[in-house]
Structure formats: C-alpha cells, structure tokens
Amino acid sequence: MTIKVLLADDQTLLRSAFRILVDSEPDMRVVGEASDGAQAYELARRERPDVVLMDIRMPGTDGLAATRMISQDPELAGVKVVILTTFEVDDYVVQSLRAGASGFLGKGAEPDELLHAIRIADGGEALLSPAATKGLIATFLAQGDGAAQGPGGAGAERLATLTGREREVLVLVAGGLSNDEIAERLDVSPLTVKTHVNRAMAKLGARDRAQLVVIAYESGLVRPRAH
C-alpha cells in the first residue's frame, strides 16, 4: 500500500527537496504541497493523506493551528501529522503534540530518518523524536498549565479505566520502548503488547502512541527525569 504524504512548508525549495525524496520511495507519493496551515488543512480534507509533514512556523495560519484543525476534524481521524522544526525542544513542539500531532522531527534529520518517521507515523507505532531528548520533552509537558489533563480531556481519573497491565504498558510506551522491547521486558508476545496499547488508546481517547505519551506525563502517571 502506498503512503500518501502531504507537504506543508512555506519554503518552496525545501518542499521540492522533500518531494524528490518522498517520491523516490516505491511505497510513498506526495499528494499535495501547501505553503501555509490553512492550505494544508484544505488539502488534507481534499486529498486525505496518510501523513502530513508540517512546518510549525509558517505565515498566516501556522503549523500548530493547522495541526489542531486536522486533529479535531472527525473526517480526518486517520491523518497523522509530523511536525518539522528547527528547534527540537521548542515549547511549540509540545503544544503541537497536545494539539494532536503524532510527533516531531528536526529539519536537520538525515533523509533516512525522515523516511523512517513517515513510515512509523503511518503505522502509528511510536512517538517521533529520533534526535530529541525525551527528558526535555517531558519537562515541557510537565510545565503545561498545571492541569493533569491529556488530549480529549483524559486526566488522571480516566487512568482508572485501565487494567494494571495496561497501565504498566503505558508507562513503558511513555519511556519510548517499542512493542518488541516491551514484550521482552514483560515476557509476553508483541501481539499481546499491541493489544494492550490499542485498548489503552481506545479507553483514553488517544489518536496514537504519541498521544499516549502526552497523557502519561500530563496525568502524572510518569514523571519527567531531572537533568
């Protein structure tokens, strides 16, 4: 199956470079290019991409606003947004995760990292932050507005809907572990882990694993490490 990618960046040259890279892959194709957030949203509604590569800072409607528009549109529930930024631990990046982005990637990432991020986002398998420090992301999440509340209003009280095993898996997901790594840690099969993750997502109203990480930190289930 071909992964449909939408590019949103106000720099024409950068969009062209991304298009060449993405279209060179046999399992991907670019379905549209946007120069601002409003255009990105309209193209997302029209083209129904699997993944949007979204620059966070654009004139007019920025990437943060566009991400929120996409994530709040029921018709675009299957669209994953990956934020592209020059500042990998920028507070705006964390706001984008709260707004519904699947994760983020630095513009300085290697081509292979970008392609891998698209595939990971399409599969909904992990928080996308290959070059970022998890502790710093967690610190930003912990600062927030003081409310123990994640996407869709999922606060600490909603964690009570999880089973003990689901909470345990959630903690490990927030630590950045893959399904295979969690399976090895808990001595269960990767399929069993995937089932627990999917059930936790359904109970907490999370779009993907990135949102589970946000919920885990903002609910207080996982605390940021001191650096």
Side-chain angles (χ1 to χ4, degrees), residues 13 27 30 54 66 68 73 116 180 188 193:
L13 185 61
D27 62 337
V30 173
M54 182 85 74
R68 185 175 296 110
D73 189 331
H116 180 63
D180 287 345
V188 296
V193 173

Side-chain angles (χ1 to χ4, degrees), residues 25 34-35 46 50 52 71 88 121 129 176 187 198 209 222 225:
E25 295 298 296
S35 58
R46 189 177 75 196
D50 298 302
V52 179
S71 67
E88 295 213 30
S129 180
D187 195 25
N198 288 341
R209 291 173 76 101
V222 177
R225 296 177 181 178

Side-chain angles (χ1 to χ4, degrees), residues 152-189:
E157 70 281 358
R158 289 185 62 188
L159 293 180
T161 64
L162 303 181
T163 65
R165 180 62 95 180
E166 287 165 356
R167 289 169 67 96
E168 190 175 9
V169 168
L170 177 56
V171 170
L172 295 175
V173 167
L177 275 65
S178 67
N179 283 356
D180 287 345
E181 291 169 333
I182 295 173
E184 184 176 355
R185 179 77 63 87
L186 300 180
D187 195 25
V188 296
S189 73

Side-chain angles (χ1 to χ4, degrees), residues 44 48-52 70-71 75-81 100 102 207:
R48 294 296 197 271
D50 298 302
V51 179
V52 179
I70 290 173
S71 67
E75 295 184 10
L76 302 179
V79 178
K80 307 296 185 181
V81 177
S102 293
R207 287 166 59 93

Side-chain angles (χ1 to χ4, degrees), residues 5 7 9 11-25 30 33 53 84 107 109-112 114-115 118:
V5 180
L7 307 174
D9 197 297
Q11 298 182 47
T12 304
L13 185 61
L14 197 55
R15 289 202 314 270
S16 297
F18 287 151
R19 175 181 278 276
I20 292 172
L21 177 64
V22 172
D23 282 344
S24 70
E25 295 298 296
V30 173
E33 295 184 29
L53 293 182
L84 296 174
K107 285 188 175 181
E110 295 294 326
D112 285 347
L114 178 63
L115 295 173
I118 292 172

Side-chain angles (χ1 to χ4, degrees), residues 96-142:
S96 73
L97 293 178
R98 290 194 178 110
S102 293
F104 66 93
L105 191 70
K107 285 188 175 181
E110 295 294 326
D112 285 347
E113 285 184 305
L114 178 63
L115 295 173
H116 180 63
I118 292 172
R119 293 187 176 99
I120 289 294
D122 180 58
E125 288 299 321
L127 177 66
L128 304 175
S129 180
T133 303
K134 292 187 181 71
L136 289 176
I137 298 172
T139 298
F140 274 123
L141 288 173

